[in-house]
Protein backbone atom coordinates (compact mmCIF):
# COMPACT_ATOMS: atom_id res chain seq x y z
CA UNK A 1 0.00 0.00 0.00
CA UNK A 2 1.36 3.44 -0.90
CA UNK A 3 -0.01 4.98 2.28
CA UNK A 4 -1.91 8.24 2.47
CA UNK A 5 -1.04 10.37 -0.53
CA UNK A 6 -1.24 14.14 -0.44
CA UNK A 7 -0.69 16.64 -3.20
CA UNK A 8 0.90 18.99 -3.78
CA UNK A 9 3.85 18.67 -1.38
CA UNK A 10 4.48 22.39 -1.52
CA UNK A 11 2.22 25.24 -2.55
CA UNK A 12 3.08 28.91 -2.74
CA UNK A 13 0.26 31.23 -3.59
CA UNK A 14 -0.63 34.88 -3.40
CA UNK A 15 -3.08 36.22 -0.89
CA UNK A 16 -6.62 36.09 -2.22
CA UNK A 17 -6.07 33.10 -4.45
CA UNK A 18 -7.95 29.83 -4.11
CA UNK A 19 -5.96 26.87 -2.85
CA UNK A 20 -6.98 23.22 -3.14
CA UNK A 21 -5.22 20.48 -1.23
CA UNK A 22 -5.80 16.86 -2.13
CA UNK A 23 -5.71 13.59 -0.26
CA UNK A 24 -6.03 9.93 -1.17
CA UNK A 25 -6.58 7.78 1.94
CA UNK A 26 -5.55 4.19 2.38
CA UNK A 27 -7.94 1.86 0.64
CA UNK A 28 -10.44 0.40 3.09
CA UNK A 29 -9.99 3.08 5.73
CA UNK A 30 -13.37 4.55 6.60
CA UNK A 31 -12.18 7.61 8.53
CA UNK A 32 -10.36 10.59 7.04
CA UNK A 33 -8.97 13.55 8.96
CA UNK A 34 -7.55 16.93 8.01
CA UNK A 35 -5.07 18.53 10.42
CA UNK A 36 -3.12 21.77 10.29
CA UNK A 37 0.29 22.21 11.95
CA UNK A 38 1.90 25.51 12.86
CA UNK A 39 4.59 26.45 15.33
CA UNK A 40 2.22 28.62 17.31
CA UNK A 41 -0.80 26.33 17.51
CA UNK A 42 0.67 22.88 17.02
CA UNK A 43 -1.50 20.21 15.41
CA UNK A 44 -5.14 21.20 15.03
CA UNK A 45 -7.93 18.94 13.86
CA UNK A 46 -9.87 20.78 11.18
CA UNK A 47 -12.49 18.25 10.07
CA UNK A 48 -13.04 14.54 9.79
CA UNK A 49 -15.17 12.24 7.68
CA UNK A 50 -16.65 8.82 8.31
CA UNK A 51 -17.69 6.86 5.22
CA UNK A 52 -17.35 10.06 3.15
CA UNK A 53 -19.71 12.00 5.43
CA UNK A 54 -18.38 15.02 7.39
CA UNK A 55 -18.83 14.26 11.07
CA UNK A 56 -17.18 17.15 12.86
CA UNK A 57 -16.05 20.38 11.21
CA UNK A 58 -15.85 22.44 14.39
CA UNK A 59 -12.12 22.91 13.86
CA UNK A 60 -12.50 24.61 10.50
CA UNK A 61 -11.31 28.12 11.25
CA UNK A 62 -13.54 30.15 8.98
CA UNK A 63 -16.00 29.99 6.13
CA UNK A 64 -13.04 30.41 3.83
CA UNK A 65 -12.23 26.78 4.51
CA UNK A 66 -14.24 23.93 3.03
CA UNK A 67 -13.64 20.21 2.70
CA UNK A 68 -15.26 17.53 0.60
CA UNK A 69 -15.04 13.81 0.22
CA UNK A 70 -16.88 12.86 -2.98
CA UNK A 71 -15.86 9.21 -2.71
CA UNK A 72 -13.93 6.83 -0.48
CA UNK A 73 -10.64 7.42 -2.27
CA UNK A 74 -10.46 11.19 -2.50
CA UNK A 75 -10.82 14.29 -0.37
CA UNK A 76 -10.08 17.97 -0.88
CA UNK A 77 -9.51 20.88 1.44
CA UNK A 78 -10.12 24.24 -0.17
CA UNK A 79 -9.23 27.70 1.05
CA UNK A 80 -10.88 30.60 -0.75
CA UNK A 81 -9.67 33.30 -0.49
CA UNK A 82 -6.32 32.42 1.06
CA UNK A 83 -4.59 34.68 3.59
CA UNK A 84 -1.00 34.78 4.89
CA UNK A 85 -2.13 33.41 8.26
CA UNK A 86 -3.24 30.22 6.51
CA UNK A 87 0.42 29.38 5.94
CA UNK A 88 1.01 26.02 7.61
CA UNK A 89 1.57 22.35 6.92
CA UNK A 90 -1.70 20.58 6.23
CA UNK A 91 -1.89 16.87 6.95
CA UNK A 92 -4.39 14.31 5.88
CA UNK A 93 -4.74 11.07 7.87
CA UNK A 94 -6.89 8.00 7.57
CA UNK A 95 -7.79 5.15 9.88
CA UNK A 96 -9.77 1.96 10.10
CA UNK A 97 -12.30 2.91 12.70
CA UNK A 98 -12.00 5.84 15.08
CA UNK A 99 -10.21 4.03 17.85
CA UNK A 100 -9.22 0.64 16.54
CA UNK A 101 -5.68 1.51 15.57
CA UNK A 102 -3.48 4.51 15.06
CA UNK A 103 -3.91 6.96 12.27
CA UNK A 104 -1.80 6.88 9.12
CA UNK A 105 -0.65 10.32 8.09
CA UNK A 106 0.33 11.62 4.70
CA UNK A 107 3.53 13.58 4.16
CA UNK A 108 1.66 16.86 4.30
CA UNK A 109 1.29 19.92 2.10
CA UNK A 110 3.38 22.92 3.06
CA UNK A 111 1.31 25.97 2.16
CA UNK A 112 2.82 29.42 1.96
CA UNK A 113 0.54 32.37 1.28
CA UNK A 114 2.42 35.54 0.40
CA UNK B 1 -7.60 23.06 21.54
CA UNK B 2 -4.72 20.93 22.75
CA UNK B 3 -5.65 18.12 25.09
CA UNK B 4 -2.25 16.69 25.91
CA UNK B 5 0.77 18.57 27.12
CA UNK B 6 4.16 16.97 26.83
CA UNK B 7 7.03 17.42 29.20
CA UNK B 8 9.80 18.27 28.62
CA UNK B 9 9.43 20.43 25.54
CA UNK B 10 12.96 19.48 24.48
CA UNK B 11 15.33 16.72 25.53
CA UNK B 12 18.96 16.13 24.58
CA UNK B 13 20.67 12.86 25.46
CA UNK B 14 23.66 10.78 24.47
CA UNK B 15 23.27 7.75 22.24
CA UNK B 16 22.68 4.66 24.35
CA UNK B 17 20.87 6.52 27.12
CA UNK B 18 17.17 6.18 27.84
CA UNK B 19 14.72 8.94 26.99
CA UNK B 20 11.55 9.55 28.96
CA UNK B 21 8.77 11.84 27.81
CA UNK B 22 5.62 12.60 29.76
CA UNK B 23 2.15 13.58 28.68
CA UNK B 24 -0.70 14.98 30.73
CA UNK B 25 -4.27 15.37 29.56
CA UNK B 26 -7.47 16.88 30.87
CA UNK B 27 -10.54 14.82 30.04
CA UNK B 28 -11.48 11.15 30.07
CA UNK B 29 -10.14 9.20 27.13
CA UNK B 30 -10.80 6.08 25.13
CA UNK B 31 -7.15 5.52 24.36
CA UNK B 32 -3.85 7.36 24.17
CA UNK B 33 -1.42 7.19 21.28
CA UNK B 34 2.17 8.23 20.70
CA UNK B 35 3.49 9.46 17.38
CA UNK B 36 6.89 10.41 16.03
CA UNK B 37 7.55 13.16 13.52
CA UNK B 38 10.86 13.55 11.77
CA UNK B 39 11.69 17.04 10.57
CA UNK B 40 9.64 17.95 7.52
CA UNK B 41 7.73 14.69 7.49
CA UNK B 42 4.35 13.37 8.49
CA UNK B 43 3.55 11.73 11.79
CA UNK B 44 4.18 8.04 12.31
CA UNK B 45 2.10 6.03 14.75
CA UNK B 46 4.23 4.32 17.39
CA UNK B 47 1.97 2.75 19.96
CA UNK B 48 -1.59 2.83 21.28
CA UNK B 49 -2.60 2.14 24.85
CA UNK B 50 -6.23 1.72 25.83
CA UNK B 51 -7.76 3.34 28.88
CA UNK B 52 -8.03 -0.01 30.66
CA UNK B 53 -4.34 -0.82 30.13
CA UNK B 54 -1.53 0.36 32.35
CA UNK B 55 1.59 -0.56 30.39
CA UNK B 56 2.51 -1.57 26.89
CA UNK B 57 5.74 -2.49 25.15
CA UNK B 58 6.85 -2.38 21.54
CA UNK B 59 10.49 -3.08 20.83
CA UNK B 60 12.52 -0.40 22.62
CA UNK B 61 9.38 1.55 23.48
CA UNK B 62 7.54 1.33 26.78
CA UNK B 63 4.38 3.29 27.43
CA UNK B 64 2.58 3.65 30.74
CA UNK B 65 -0.82 5.12 31.40
CA UNK B 66 -2.21 6.37 34.71
CA UNK B 67 -5.82 7.37 34.20
CA UNK B 68 -6.20 8.50 37.82
CA UNK B 69 -3.49 11.10 37.24
CA UNK B 70 -4.43 11.62 33.60
CA UNK B 71 -0.86 11.09 32.52
CA UNK B 72 1.24 8.87 30.31
CA UNK B 73 4.93 8.35 29.73
CA UNK B 74 6.95 7.13 26.77
CA UNK B 75 10.30 5.51 27.45
CA UNK B 76 12.76 4.86 24.65
CA UNK B 77 15.54 2.56 25.82
CA UNK B 78 19.05 2.43 24.40
CA UNK B 79 18.44 5.47 22.21
CA UNK B 80 19.99 5.85 18.78
CA UNK B 81 20.78 8.91 16.69
CA UNK B 82 17.94 7.83 14.38
CA UNK B 83 15.49 8.37 17.26
CA UNK B 84 16.02 12.13 16.91
CA UNK B 85 12.56 13.50 16.18
CA UNK B 86 9.55 15.16 17.79
CA UNK B 87 7.27 12.92 19.81
CA UNK B 88 3.59 13.64 20.31
CA UNK B 89 0.98 12.11 22.54
CA UNK B 90 -2.58 12.13 21.29
CA UNK B 91 -5.74 11.35 23.16
CA UNK B 92 -8.69 9.70 21.50
CA UNK B 93 -11.81 10.68 23.31
CA UNK B 94 -15.52 10.28 22.81
CA UNK B 95 -17.28 13.61 22.43
CA UNK B 96 -20.73 14.54 23.67
CA UNK B 97 -22.15 14.12 20.20
CA UNK B 98 -20.75 10.56 20.01
CA UNK B 99 -18.03 11.59 17.59
CA UNK B 100 -14.38 10.77 18.22
CA UNK B 101 -11.48 13.15 18.14
CA UNK B 102 -7.75 12.54 18.23
CA UNK B 103 -6.24 15.58 19.89
CA UNK B 104 -2.48 16.09 19.87
CA UNK B 105 -0.23 17.60 22.48
CA UNK B 106 2.48 20.12 21.82
CA UNK B 107 5.26 17.55 21.45
CA UNK B 108 8.72 16.85 22.84
CA UNK B 109 11.74 17.48 20.61
CA UNK B 110 14.27 14.72 21.22
CA UNK B 111 17.89 15.06 20.16
CA UNK B 112 20.09 11.98 20.45
CA UNK B 113 23.75 12.91 20.16
CA UNK B 114 26.04 10.31 18.54
Amino acid sequence: DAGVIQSPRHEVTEMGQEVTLRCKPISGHDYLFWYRQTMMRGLELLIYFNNNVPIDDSGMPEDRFSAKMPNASFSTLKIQPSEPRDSAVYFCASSLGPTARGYTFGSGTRLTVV
Amino acid sequence: SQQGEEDPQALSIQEGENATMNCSYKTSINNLQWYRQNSGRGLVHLILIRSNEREKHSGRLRVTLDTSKKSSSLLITASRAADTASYFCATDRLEMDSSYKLIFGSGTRLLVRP
Side-chain angles (χ1 to χ4, degrees):
Chain A
D1 198 324
V4 176
I5 300 173
Q6 290 187 247
S7 64
R9 287 297 310 273
H10 303 274
E11 177 80 35
V12 180
T13 190
E14 291 186 347
M15 183 174 63
Q17 296 297 306
E18 177 180 295
V19 176
T20 299
L21 311 180
R22 297 172 176 80
C23 175
K24 176 179 168 55
I26 290 176
S27 177
H29 281 190
D30 53 353
Y31 282 78
L32 183 141
F33 309 83
W34 282 100
Y35 283 85
R36 176 172 70 175
Q37 186 177 35
T38 61
M39 288 293 291
M40 290 297 294
R41 300 175 67 88
L43 273 155
E44 301 174 277
L45 175 62
L46 301 178
I47 185 172
Y48 80 89
F49 295 83
N50 176 214
N51 291 321
N52 313 337
V53 176
I55 302 300
D56 186 345
D57 65 354
S58 60
M60 296 285 262
E62 300 170 31
D63 291 344
R64 298 183 296 106
F65 286 69
S66 62
K68 294 182 180 179
M69 192 165 186
N71 56 63
S73 59
F74 184 66
S75 177
T76 60
L77 178 67
K78 186 175 294 186
I79 308 173
Q80 166 62 19
S82 58
E83 296 182 3
R85 60 194 168 117
D86 301 331
S87 297
V89 181
Y90 291 80
F91 288 103
C92 175
S94 69
S95 74
L96 188 62
T99 61
R101 300 181 181 89
Y103 296 5
T104 301
F105 279 77
S107 298
T109 294
R110 181 174 295 278
L111 173 66
T112 302
V113 183
V114 298
Chain B
S1 62
Q2 292 177 344
Q3 158 81 314
E5 294 296 329
E6 280 93 337
D7 169 54
Q9 290 188 341
L11 180 62
S12 179
I13 60 174
Q14 202 72 36
E15 200 165 30
E17 295 180 339
N18 295 341
T20 299
M21 289 159 268
N22 303 297
C23 169
S24 60
Y25 56 92
K26 299 173 183 175
T27 65
S28 60
I29 61 172
N30 186 53
N31 65 59
L32 186 145
Q33 306 176 26
W34 285 90
Y35 288 78
R36 183 186 73 211
Q37 184 179 34
N38 289 88
S39 180
R41 307 294 295 273
L43 285 84
V44 175
H45 178 254
L46 295 176
I47 196 166
L48 180 154
I49 185 166
R50 302 190 188 285
S51 59
N52 61 353
E53 297 176 313
R54 291 296 167 258
E55 188 171 313
K56 205 160 184 180
H57 297 255
S58 177
R60 294 183 296 113
L61 306 180
R62 173 177 169 255
V63 169
T64 61
L65 178 63
D66 187 335
T67 53
S68 66
K69 295 181 179 178
K70 292 186 169 58
S71 66
S72 173
S73 67
L74 170 67
L75 169 67
I76 304 175
T77 60
S79 64
R80 305 166 182 168
D83 294 330
T84 294
S86 291
Y87 291 82
F88 295 86
C89 71
T91 50
D92 193 350
R93 66 184 193 214
L94 177 62
E95 301 289 316
M96 295 287 286
D97 59 0
S98 299
S99 65
Y100 285 88
K101 284 185 176 180
L102 190 62
I103 306 298
F104 285 82
S106 51
T108 293
R109 294 188 311 278
L110 174 66
L111 171 64
V112 182
R113 304 186 304 274

